[in-house]
Amino acid sequence: MKKINVFGRIALGIVIAYVLFHVLILLQFIPSNVVWGGKIIEPKTMLVLEWVALLVLLFLGSLILMKTKVIPNKWQEKTLNRWLLVFSVYFLLNTLGNLLAESIFEKAQALLTLILALSLFKMSKRNP
């Protein structure tokens, strides 16, 4: 197996942790009031949002695996780098949202999302 650089390992580790987190929410091992600002009450809406979050994270994970050459890259390197940059900006904005959240749990997520944003940014600027 190919050795993954430090930014890839960090990003992949955080994404895997968030995938597990969202799966545990879907399985109701973690209460759903700790995500989405605790404002989503309707179970059907929560289910849709959690599935979307999970699919987005799986897509991001596949991008990271392609960038690190663990799986074959089906896109041009430029396209892959742009996707990583888009996700970097997304998680930077998510960091700001987490800092403005009311719950301590979501505020604590700001550090993880910031690290993920910076790792994705660094990955988008590097050649494999």
Side-chain angles (χ1 to χ4, degrees):
M1 185 170 163
K2 180 159 174 39
K3 186 175 179 181
I4 301 175
N5 70 39
V6 66
F7 299 113
R9 279 185 272 150
I10 290 169
L12 194 57
I14 293 172
V15 168
I16 289 170
Y18 275 126
V19 165
L20 291 173
F21 176 71
H22 286 287
V23 166
L24 290 174
I25 290 170
L26 282 169
L27 296 174
Q28 298 180 347
F29 287 111
I30 295 176
S32 59
N33 65 338
V34 300
V35 292
W36 309 107
K39 302 197 187 315
I40 309 298
I41 297 170
E42 189 177 325
K44 193 173 189 175
T45 304
M46 180 61 69
L47 191 63
V48 169
L49 290 173
E50 284 302 310
W51 273 108
V52 169
L54 191 56
L55 291 173
V56 167
L57 286 167
L58 290 173
F59 176 64
L60 175 58
S62 70
L63 294 175
I64 294 167
L65 291 173
M66 281 189 264
K67 180 67 177 182
T68 57
K69 305 293 186 206
V70 172
I71 62 174
N73 183 0
K74 301 293 183 184
W75 294 335
Q76 291 182 347
E77 196 67 27
K78 194 183 237 184
T79 303
L80 185 57
N81 288 340
R82 285 181 180 156
W83 270 110
L84 292 171
L85 191 57
V86 165
F87 273 105
S88 177
V89 171
Y90 169 78
F91 281 106
L92 188 61
L93 293 172
N94 188 268
T95 299
L96 296 174
N98 285 340
L99 288 172
L100 298 173
E102 294 176 16
S103 76
I104 298 296
F105 181 79
E106 282 192 273
K107 284 182 190 250
Q109 297 304 305
L111 181 59
L112 274 180
T113 56
L114 179 61
I115 292 169
L116 180 56
L118 295 174
S119 294
L120 293 172
F121 178 77
K122 290 294 272 185
M123 287 177 70
S124 75
K125 300 299 177 191
R126 293 179 68 134
N127 291 326

